Every structure is written in C-alpha cells, then in structure tokens.
C-alpha cells in the first residue's frame, strides 16, 4: 500500500519536534539562535559535523532535515 502525504510530508517526517532546538541550546547556548528564535545555519552545520564524529545517526538525520527545511523556506518552488 502506497501512502501519499502530498503537502503534509513534513509533519510526518519530523518524529520528535523541538529535538534540534534542544540540542543546539544545550551544546551552544543562546548564541546558536538568531534574534527571531531561528537556528543559525552555521550551528546546524557544526552540529552535523559533531554528530558524524559521535556516531549519533538519528540526531544527524534530524539536523540534515532541519538544514533542508531551512533551505526550502528560502527558495519556494
């Protein structure tokens, strides 16, 4: 059976909402966020590199999804 989520695929892809924000806050503190509360891209990249070294694959995937969604917001199709 093939499931079609159409425009709702993002809601189903995010298993634990807020996980990336909590990780960035614990690891880098408030300097990892912009004034409007969004995560700075450089800290997402730092987090990806750190998780590759630690071997935490699920957190690495969550950070990669955050990076993808941030780019998607900038370039609407």
């Amino acid at each position: 059976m093939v499931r079609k989520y159409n425009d709702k695929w993002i809601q189903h892809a995010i298993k634990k909402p807020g996980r990336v924000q909590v990780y960035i806050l614990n690891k880098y503190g408030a300097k990892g966020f912009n004034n409007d509360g969004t995560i700075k891209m450089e800290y997402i990249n730092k987090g990806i590199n750190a998780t590759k070294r630690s071997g935490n694959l699920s957190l690495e995937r969550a950070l990669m999804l955050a990076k993808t969604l941030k780019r998607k917001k900038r370039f609407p199709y």
Side-chain angles (χ1 to χ4, degrees):
M1 179 177 173
V2 177
R3 293 184 183 185
K4 292 186 178 181
Y5 293 117
N6 296 334
D7 296 335
K8 303 277 185 176
W9 71 270
I10 295 172
Q11 287 84 346
H12 295 283
I14 300 172
K15 301 296 182 195
K16 297 179 183 178
R19 178 181 187 184
V20 173
Q21 291 153 337
V22 170
Y23 171 75
I24 297 293
L25 185 63
N26 288 338
K27 184 117 174 129
Y28 303 107
K31 65 182 179 182
F33 295 90
N34 293 322
N35 290 337
D36 61 348
T38 59
I39 303 171
K40 294 180 182 177
M41 186 61 92
E42 63 183 286
Y43 287 97
I44 291 176
N45 292 331
K46 284 183 183 181
I48 291 170
N49 292 334
T51 54
K52 282 185 180 181
R53 287 190 298 263
S54 70
N56 191 348
L57 186 61
S58 63
L59 183 58
E60 181 185 344
R61 286 182 180 166
L63 286 163
M64 293 290 269
L65 181 62
K67 185 176 179 180
T68 302
L69 293 178
K70 197 160 180 98
R71 276 188 278 139
K72 186 173 178 70
K73 183 178 175 182
R74 249 187 297 155
F75 300 112
Y77 295 114

